[in-house]
Amino acid sequence: MRILTAITFTFSTLAGTPGTVVSSQDGTGAAAQFDAPRGVAVDRAGNVYVADTRNNSVRKISSSGEVVTLAGTPGTEGRGDGTGAAARFNEPFGVAVDDAGTVYVADASNNAIGKSPPPASSRLWPAAALPVPATAPVRRHASTNRAASRLTSTAPSTWPTTTTT
């Protein structure tokens, strides 16, 4: 039998203002505002992705603490694939990010999973080298009896296209 000694964790606010702030505001630290943030995920570069449920958007907190809206339009619910603010969610609840930088969103009230392609092909650049831009398109797989169509990456032309060594 082993005895486990309790570990004390000290929590601090990464972004947002604790209390009753119910709005959406991009910014750094306490200047940022959320409305019912739910699921979070962290990528290899230390960026935190947040399902901002009542704002119907997905937010990204950079490793320096800057909050930006990655996808969706705060306060506008809906369902639809799109890039950046054109993407529509209805109460996104969970978020995950894989090693390639692909962001997945559990869009609870739409009963769908959103997917944003990685920032660039992993054959060209390591995922940690590039942030997921606010213009990353979001596409969905719905729960159906049919196979979902294959999703493809449509990286903006401003991303590097040469290989690294």
Side-chain angles (χ1 to χ4, degrees):
M1 174 184 234
R2 294 180 183 240
I3 297 175
L4 178 63
T5 304
I7 299 172
T8 303
F9 293 97
T10 302
F11 290 91
S12 61
T13 302
L14 174 64
T17 305
T20 59
V21 176
V22 288
S23 136
S24 178
Q25 179 65 47
D26 290 346
T28 302
Q33 295 182 5
F34 300 88
D35 190 357
R38 300 280 194 235
V40 297
V42 181
D43 69 13
R44 295 186 305 175
N47 299 303
V48 178
Y49 298 84
V50 181
D52 195 356
T53 302
R54 287 195 211 143
N55 278 320
N56 299 303
S57 59
V58 177
R59 314 284 292 285
K60 177 182 172 184
I61 307 170
S62 70
S63 56
S64 64
E66 181 183 2
V67 177
V68 296
T69 301
L70 180 66
T73 300
T76 304
E77 66 183 43
R79 177 185 173 129
D81 297 346
T83 300
R88 292 289 179 259
F89 300 99
N90 192 355
E91 298 187 338
F93 205 82
V95 65
V97 61
D98 66 18
D99 285 340
T102 302
V103 178
Y104 299 88
V105 180
D107 194 359
S109 292
N110 277 327
N111 299 313
I113 304 298
K115 177 182 179 182
S116 176
S121 169
S122 59
R123 291 174 294 136
L124 302 176
W125 294 90
L130 296 171
V132 176
T135 58
V138 174
R139 299 174 191 239
R140 300 177 192 283
H141 278 215
S143 297
T144 65
N145 291 331
R146 294 176 279 144
S149 62
R150 184 167 190 220
L151 301 178
T152 58
S153 175
T154 55
S157 60
T158 57
W159 285 350
T161 57
T162 58
T163 59
T164 59
T165 56

